Amino acid sequence: MIDCACISINNHCNLNCTHTPEKTEYLTENNMNVYKILNNIKNHIDKYNISGFKLGCVGNGEPLLDYDSLRAYINYISDYLADGRIAAYTITNGTLVTEEILYFFKTYKVNIGFSIDGISQIHNKYRCNTHIAVLDAIEMFRMVNGHYPSMNCTVSRDVLDRTEETIAFFEPFGNKITFSRMIGKNGITLYEFQNFLDKAKVKLNIRTGGYDCTMYGGMCGAGINNIFYANGKIYICGNCVDLPAIADADTPLDMIKPDIPEFNRNTCFREILKKS
């Protein structure tokens, strides 16, 4: 049963990060009716009495570029957020964060994660020299919430070459870190990524395990319980927007039945198809 979804509320960014995956060429701006999607999700939660539906209000770019829309979407599901039936989150590059935004997310129990690729030399190389600005936003979050936010780090070849320094950077925060594998022509292998995670988990609280995504250290959950909305369509995951969509965006969730063949879920479904 579907109990996890991500909605790409936009496909544009205020930065030009050099490790943006090649799949972005398949993404276009669209007039996807997010309110109808949210209605379908709420109806699905009510119909199946789901106690905790995980909802990502994300962008294939920077979601805070459309903060007014994002705020409206959150208000629209505020009763489901208040009683915990929906656990919502978003992810930002940190450059557009303000105290007003942080207090709004705090009020409505929306988790906000920050993308930061560890030490300044690596982060600035890939994320447009924004390391200091992101650290300032992270500190602002701590002042508002009393603790550091969750953080997302893309593991590139440069991170592998400076593994110990990367781990040491995150260690003082004492928060949860999501490491994601860089994919595409400049990516690293799944084996290399798993070796990195084995070292990182000794000292850090990292996201791993379960049917989630091999990009984050789990098993591939494609076609099980997670869907991704973009381009007015539904895809089996956010990494598969270059594969055929499985439904239109306004399709009720209980009518979405991906036809996924059996495969080794310790590997990535998309990468298997791309090699075949």
Side-chain angles (χ1 to χ4, degrees), residues 2-39:
I2 295 171
D3 60 8
C4 184
C6 286
I7 305 173
S8 183
I9 65 170
N10 65 31
N11 295 325
H12 53 278
C13 188
N14 59 325
L15 302 179
N16 186 26
C17 299
T18 58
H19 62 14
T20 300
E22 290 87 349
K23 66 185 175 66
T24 55
E25 68 184 79
Y26 295 92
L27 298 166
T28 58
E29 294 305 320
N30 60 81
N31 296 315
M32 191 162 58
N33 189 334
V34 175
Y35 292 105
K36 189 164 186 178
I37 292 171
L38 294 175
N39 272 333

Side-chain angles (χ1 to χ4, degrees), residues 28-70:
T28 58
E29 294 305 320
N30 60 81
N31 296 315
M32 191 162 58
N33 189 334
V34 175
Y35 292 105
K36 189 164 186 178
I37 292 171
L38 294 175
N39 272 333
N40 283 338
I41 289 173
K42 291 195 290 185
N43 290 338
H44 183 72
I45 291 170
D46 293 341
K47 181 176 181 179
Y48 293 101
N49 195 28
I50 298 172
S51 60
F53 190 101
K54 188 175 180 181
L55 177 63
C57 299
V58 297
N60 284 291
E62 169 53 49
L64 294 187
L65 281 172
D66 290 280
Y67 173 63
D68 287 343
S69 295
L70 177 57

